Amino acid sequence: MKKIFLEILRWSLRFHGLFHIGHVYSDIIVGNWIGVGIGSYIISVELLSSFLIPNEHVHFKTFKTEVHEKCD
């Protein structure tokens, strides 16, 4: 179940990043270069994070998240 969820999350991030290409294109047409920069940044973060999601076990805590291979 966890593996399926991570695959759905990865592909959702990829598709969402690709949808931002339309925003970047419209910002180029209008000449909104700040929007182009922000949109390009968002695309790169979402695509990179979709490929770099860790396979480790994660504990979400209030101030610090713990990531490790196995739970004790």
Side-chain angles (χ1 to χ4, degrees):
M1 185 70 171
K2 179 181 175 184
K3 187 176 181 178
I4 293 171
F5 174 72
L6 286 176
E7 277 302 310
I8 291 171
L9 181 63
R10 284 184 176 108
W11 281 102
S12 297
L13 282 169
R14 291 172 190 156
F15 286 133
H16 187 245
L18 292 176
F19 287 139
H20 279 286
I21 291 174
H23 292 138
V24 171
Y25 177 73
S26 66
D27 284 338
I28 289 172
I29 300 256
V30 175
N32 180 7
W33 299 109
I34 294 173
V36 170
I38 292 171
S40 299
Y41 173 75
I42 289 170
I43 291 170
S44 62
V45 166
E46 288 185 345
L47 289 179
L48 285 173
S49 65
S50 74
F51 289 104
L52 299 175
I53 292 175
N55 291 327
E56 292 93 1
H57 187 80
V58 179
H59 290 278
F60 293 105
K61 304 247 175 152
T62 307
F63 294 106
K64 185 177 178 184
T65 302
E66 294 179 22
V67 179
H68 51 271
E69 290 291 328
K70 293 183 181 177
C71 239
D72 294 331

